[in-house]
Amino acid sequence: MKKIISAFVLAASVVFGAAAQDEAAAVADSLASQEPLMVIRGAENSMVIQVCGVDISLQAPAEKPEPAKPRRYMTAFNRMEFGFTALTGMANSGFVPATGRSMSTETFSTFHFGMQMLGVNFALNEKRTIVFEAGFMFSIDNYRFSDGSAMLRRVDGMLVPTDAYEPGTRNGKFVTTSVGIPLRMSFRPADHLRFTLTAYSDFGTGLTSVVRSPHIKQELSGLRAYQFGVGAGISYYGVGLFVRYNVSPLFKHGHGVECHPLSFGLSLFM
């Protein structure tokens, strides 16, 4: 009897064990056949997350292209010149026999200052490495005579260095002012490095004769109304050197010694 019961239990375990294995395999096959709950797909600059069949797209913001710089633009108070001025082209240093004086000046005791108050720029390429500029500029030049006792005065219709009104005068000089329209062509071969060629068209606005000790000041006429000049410059990070030469004489014809100013010094670009 025991043998019969044991055989029955063994048969039942085999039957039910096989059924359990079949059921587990069926469940595994069912799970494998179902779609996953979450799927993540990646691409360049984006990612897609799929949850229960719903796609959620995550994308990096697109970089906005930089707006193109305008080819034409304006500047104000962006250029200054500081330096010295020498009078060139004078025969015998401008010696005037009638007065016994000379028009020669002390170059490094003179002073040149120029400021561009307004500029209209035209970029000739997209990178603005080649630029044409038309500006409006104010200049002042302070000339100190080598002979400090001389004073610029009008004698017989001519502007000549002569004795001052009082004896024992010192620090004689004359000052000119002008406004102009410089035309510039700038080239930038590398970052912050700039080469400039300039054509100056200046209009004389004032001529003043000055003696400092004792103080004497006299306004004069005879400055050439229109003066043409050329110049060049080089700068790095906005600081550079300039030189300019007046092709036109400083004084009107028949009003003074023929001479041509040559200015040079430091330039600043802002």
Side-chain angles (χ1 to χ4, degrees), residues 209-247:
S209 179
V210 180
V211 173
R212 287 298 184 191
S213 179
H215 182 72
I216 302 173
K217 184 176 180 181
Q218 183 179 10
E219 300 295 332
L220 300 171
S221 61
L223 187 67
R224 189 179 177 90
Y226 173 76
Q227 300 173 17
F228 174 75
V230 293
I234 181 174
S235 66
Y236 188 64
Y237 275 95
V239 180
L241 301 173
F242 81 94
V243 60
R244 58 183 291 184
Y245 174 73
N246 276 30
V247 179

Side-chain angles (χ1 to χ4, degrees), residues 105-127:
T105 58
E106 295 182 357
T107 300
F108 294 101
S109 294
T110 63
F111 180 73
H112 167 84
F113 171 76
M115 172 177 283
Q116 181 164 293
M117 294 174 283
L118 184 67
V120 181
N121 300 264
F122 302 88
L124 303 184
N125 59 355
E126 292 183 0
K127 294 183 179 180

Side-chain angles (χ1 to χ4, degrees), residues 35 55 58 65 71 87 103 134 146 154 156 163 173 177 185 191 241 267 269:
E35 294 182 357
D55 289 344
L58 302 178
R71 293 288 188 93
L87 293 178
M103 278 289 292
S146 300
R154 183 175 294 279
D156 297 330
D163 293 331
K173 64 179 183 178
T177 56
M185 183 67 73
D191 288 344
L241 301 173
S267 59
F269 303 89

Side-chain angles (χ1 to χ4, degrees), residues 176-191:
T176 65
T177 56
S178 63
V179 295
I181 304 175
L183 302 178
R184 292 188 175 90
M185 183 67 73
S186 299
F187 174 60
R188 194 176 72 240
D191 288 344

Side-chain angles (χ1 to χ4, degrees), residues 11-263:
S13 62
V14 171
V15 173
F16 285 106
Q21 289 178 358
D22 293 341
E23 183 176 357
V27 171
D29 292 341
S30 176
L31 292 175
S33 63
Q34 292 180 359
E35 294 182 357
L37 295 178
M38 180 181 293
V39 177
I40 299 176
R41 299 192 301 272
E44 186 178 359
N45 297 327
S46 66
M47 182 174 65
V48 177
I49 302 177
Q50 188 181 66
V51 181
C52 297
V54 179
D55 289 344
I56 302 175
S57 179
L58 302 178
Q59 188 171 6
E63 296 183 359
K64 295 182 179 180
E66 294 185 2
K69 295 182 179 179
R71 293 288 188 93
R72 183 178 63 184
Y73 57 98
M74 298 185 67
T75 53
F77 300 100
N78 69 316
R79 186 185 302 265
M80 289 190 292
E81 297 174 349
F82 302 91
F84 308 99
T85 301
L87 293 178
T88 64
M90 294 184 296
N92 299 320
S93 299
F95 183 76
V96 182
T99 65
R101 303 281 184 173
S102 172
M103 278 289 292
S104 63
T105 58
E106 295 182 357
T107 300
F108 294 101
S109 294
T110 63
F111 180 73
H112 167 84
F113 171 76
M115 172 177 283
Q116 181 164 293
M117 294 174 283
L118 184 67
V120 181
N121 300 264
F122 302 88
L124 303 184
N125 59 355
E126 292 183 0
K127 294 183 179 180
R128 290 185 177 181
T129 57
I130 304 176
V131 178
F132 174 78
E133 178 186 29
F136 179 74
M137 193 168 189
F138 169 78
S139 300
I140 181 170
D141 290 277
N142 188 325
Y143 302 86
R144 187 180 298 277
F145 286 117
S146 300
D147 181 357
S149 63
M151 179 179 184
L152 187 66
R153 296 172 56 188
R154 183 175 294 279
V155 178
D156 297 330
M158 289 284 291
L159 293 170
V160 293
T162 184
D163 293 331
Y165 293 103
E166 297 183 20
T169 58
R170 294 184 293 111
N171 298 329
K173 64 179 183 178
F174 64 97
V175 182
T176 65
T177 56
S178 63
V179 295
I181 304 175
L183 302 178
R184 292 188 175 90
M185 183 67 73
S186 299
F187 174 60
R188 194 176 72 240
D191 288 344
H192 312 296
L193 177 64
R194 180 182 301 177
F195 296 95
T196 306
L197 295 175
T198 307
Y200 294 93
S201 293
D202 294 329
F203 303 89
T205 57
L207 172 61
T208 305
S209 179
V210 180
V211 173
R212 287 298 184 191
S213 179
H215 182 72
I216 302 173
K217 184 176 180 181
Q218 183 179 10
E219 300 295 332
L220 300 171
S221 61
L223 187 67
R224 189 179 177 90
Y226 173 76
Q227 300 173 17
F228 174 75
V230 293
I234 181 174
S235 66
Y236 188 64
Y237 275 95
V239 180
L241 301 173
F242 81 94
V243 60
R244 58 183 291 184
Y245 174 73
N246 276 30
V247 179
S248 304
L250 181 62
F251 301 114
K252 293 179 180 179
H253 180 69
H255 285 256
V257 174
E258 183 169 337
C259 54
H260 303 260
L262 174 67
S263 304

